[in-house]
Amino acid sequence: MTLYLQNARYIDPDSLAITSTHLAVTDGPDGGVQPIDTIPTAGERGKDDRVLDCRDRFVTRAFGCGHHHIYSSLCRGMPAPPRTPTNFPEILEYVWWRVDARLDLDMVEASAMAAALQMARRGVTFCIDHHASPLHVLGSLETIAEAFERVGIGHLLCHESSDRNGPRAAEQSLAEHKAYLDSGRPGLIGLHASFTVGDELLSKSIDLASRYDTGLHIHVAEDVADQDHCEKTYGKRVAQRLRDMGALASPKTILGHCVHCDGEERQIIRDAGVWVVSNVESNQNNNVGLTDYDWLDNIMLGTDGMHNDMLRSAKAHHLCCSTTGGIGYDEVYRRFRNVHNYLRQFPGIGDGANNLVILDYDTPTELRPDNFYGHFLFGFEALHVQTVIAQGQVIIEDRRSTQVDEEEVLAYAREQGLRLWEALSS
Ligand SMILES: [Zn+2]
């Protein structure tokens, strides 16, 4: 199937060249996008081909999220924790570990559908998610994958293995990864963080990643407490521990945050060629500190479960990194787009050039290649996303899903949200 975008103003995501042209978008994980001079006539087009008028619209590559927790979707407006947390370990204990322990597969499905829908409407067509439902582990990844696919979102999933819920939950998490990867799905091996993962679980996870030729996905030095625990327990810092155990062997490995890494750890991370995801809004929300990441090339952006809007993440990243060390607009954009470079390691995963957003961008100033970054950071908003194409298929048209009944998705999420809140109150 070919989708023809007529009269588009195409912004090349790499060169930033802006071309008034028609585009031919082919579907599937290996499809692409091609500028063309003329749209084939109705007689020349295939029966499933479609022409979309893009007059006065900008078209560019859709967005990707490097680190999410879709399991937080039902938490908006939930009951307050039993005590107000005063530091990061207490935020985990009083908020997130109470939530994830109460999630069952219906809640996970509702969370994934709601997050996927909200991502799609914001032009995010690919999500790298880090999932936790420690008491309902088995089948959770397939549940999320199917929910994402119903909405039309690409995915690279993992489950958060940890020793914090005892040996049975840890074993189930390993088994879930194995079953998911055995089914042919692409995925990572998820771990919570050094301070809740003992050597045995870490070692088993590394073996599993190696066996499936994939990477780990783990939070690293998000708060200084992770470093304190590692130094006290293992006599070394977190990145040193991970390197010494063999956890940094794959360039597919993703380290979340790395806010509190010292100079030697930064060198270790650079040398390993692994990837780091910045989530500054979450860091601010948890009051764990900020860093500027000017020491690293392999840096991408995520939401850490705060929301589903990658344009918002880019803006926040710019504001925070400006205060911690100064950052160029071009570097923010590079980090925003780096998720595609990371995902290139997974051929056919569905993050190709045929993932596009059509922007209804009513700018009061001229948009040109030489001032693109200013528009990217101070102009482009989710509200400009009019139509979204994922792997060559229109999944959002005129701001509405073409794939699912939005009211139904949200009603189901609210219903499951009430179940979760009730469980939190009891
Ligand atoms: Zn996270």
Side-chain angles (χ1 to χ4, degrees), residues 67 69 219 257 304:
H67 181 78
H69 299 286
H219 298 109
H257 304 293
D304 206 23

Side-chain angles (χ1 to χ4, degrees), residues 67-69 71 130 160 217 219 222 256-257 279 282 303-305:
H67 181 78
H68 204 338
H69 299 286
Y71 71 83
H130 193 271
E160 177 187 296
H217 189 174
H219 298 109
E222 178 174 1
H257 304 293
N279 310 274
S282 165
T303 64
D304 206 23

